[in-house]
Amino acid sequence: GAVVSQHPSWVICKSGTSVKIECRSLDFQATTMFWYRQFPKQSLMLMATSNEGSKATYEQGVEKDKFLINHASLTLSTLTVTSAHPEDSSFYICSARDLTQYFGPGTRLTVL
Amino acid sequence: AQSVTQLDSQVPVFEEAPVELRCNYSSSVSVYLFWYVQYPNQGLQLLLKYLSGSTLVKGINGFEAEFNKSQTSFHLRKPSVHISDTAEYFCAVSDQRYSTLTFGKGTMLLVSP
């Protein structure tokens, strides 16, 4: 099956700093990528849909100025958490789509 | 709008026993249906999917699911589970046009020796 990677797999940062998470489709081109957030013992919450070459579409309640998404190529999308605070600590998962969505391994963000 | 209901938050079962994880969906249009598995601190892995054709779908690791349109269900089954099947299982539905996945809340499968 298709492979999606995420980097880093985990990150710890100080409150107020920005963190960038990369999502790559390794063996296929993805015009659409998705970013999810998952709280402990809960399901995935879709944050935004990222389309190559255009602005991301954010779900209701997700701050687009806080969670910056860039989809510069058909194999790479980035999520930047700006001015991170402890409440942003979470597990962030991306996915890339051809017909099926394939998920990355996730990035655990801890903001101190 | 679509929704997915996974009726059981946890399913405890003994090793080598059969298991069924239930999933019901609602949608006003035709749908694609998926089951994903998530091991601790990992992303989601696709187990199987229903796009069209045969309503009985076989996936990886010995799992299968049956699409029942009249009952709007897509239950996941395995005839004999292993300890290594212990994980969180998510059912998801996708609108054919928009392809955004809507997830259920997940079912934790706990396999004991």
Side-chain angles (χ1 to χ4, degrees):
Chain A
V3 179
V4 176
S5 70
Q6 275 184 249
H7 179 79
S9 54
W10 58 269
V11 57
I12 301 173
C13 70
K14 292 182 179 180
S15 185
T17 60
S18 295
V19 175
K20 180 185 284 188
I21 303 170
E22 292 186 349
C23 177
R24 294 181 184 273
S25 57
L26 298 184
D27 50 3
F28 68 102
Q29 294 185 328
T31 55
T32 303
M33 291 185 172
F34 303 87
W35 286 96
Y36 295 84
R37 183 172 181 177
Q38 186 180 32
F39 293 101
K41 299 188 186 300
Q42 293 190 28
S43 189
L44 280 71
M45 181 191 78
L46 179 65
M47 299 175 65
T49 302
S50 169
N51 294 298
E52 186 266 339
S54 64
K55 291 184 178 180
T57 303
Y58 290 83
E59 295 299 302
Q60 191 173 7
V62 178
E63 299 176 58
K64 61 181 180 181
D65 294 331
K66 180 164 189 62
F67 298 101
L68 300 178
I69 291 172
N70 183 275
H71 194 157
S73 76
L74 289 172
T75 59
L76 173 64
S77 177
T78 60
L79 168 68
T80 302
V81 183
T82 62
S83 187
H85 292 285
E87 57 266 29
D88 298 324
S89 298
S90 191
F91 194 51
Y92 292 88
I93 304 175
C94 74
S95 70
R97 178 182 67 89
D98 47 19
L99 185 61
T100 303
Q101 279 193 38
Y102 297 96
F103 287 81
T107 296
R108 182 159 303 283
L109 170 63
T110 302
V111 185
L112 301 177
Chain B
Q2 305 159 94
S3 67
V4 178
T5 302
Q6 290 182 247
L7 295 169
D8 306 301
S9 58
Q10 271 193 15
V11 173
V13 65
F14 288 110
E15 194 175 18
E16 298 183 3
V19 70
E20 178 180 85
L21 305 184
R22 296 180 292 172
C23 172
N24 288 87
Y25 69 93
S26 66
S27 176
S28 58
V29 297
S30 298
V31 295
Y32 294 156
L33 293 158
F34 305 83
W35 275 100
Y36 288 89
V37 60
Q38 184 180 34
Y39 298 100
N41 297 310
Q42 295 188 28
L44 273 67
Q45 180 182 6
L46 179 66
L47 273 179
L48 48 79
K49 59 186 176 185
Y50 171 78
L51 304 179
S52 64
S54 173
T55 57
L56 182 62
V57 180
K58 294 189 182 297
I60 62 171
N61 301 341
F63 284 94
E64 63 179 33
E66 186 160 17
F67 170 55
N68 188 319
K69 189 174 182 179
S70 62
Q71 296 187 7
T72 60
S73 68
F74 191 55
H75 300 331
L76 181 70
R77 302 186 186 100
K78 186 169 182 177
S80 176
V81 294
H82 300 133
I83 298 284
S84 58
D85 292 323
T86 295
E88 189 87 27
Y89 291 80
F90 292 97
C91 181
V93 62
S94 173
D95 182 301
Q96 291 186 8
R97 287 182 296 165
Y98 300 112
S99 73
T100 300
L101 282 175
T102 300
F103 285 90
K105 292 188 175 181
T107 298
M108 184 67 192
L109 176 62
L110 298 166
V111 182
S112 303

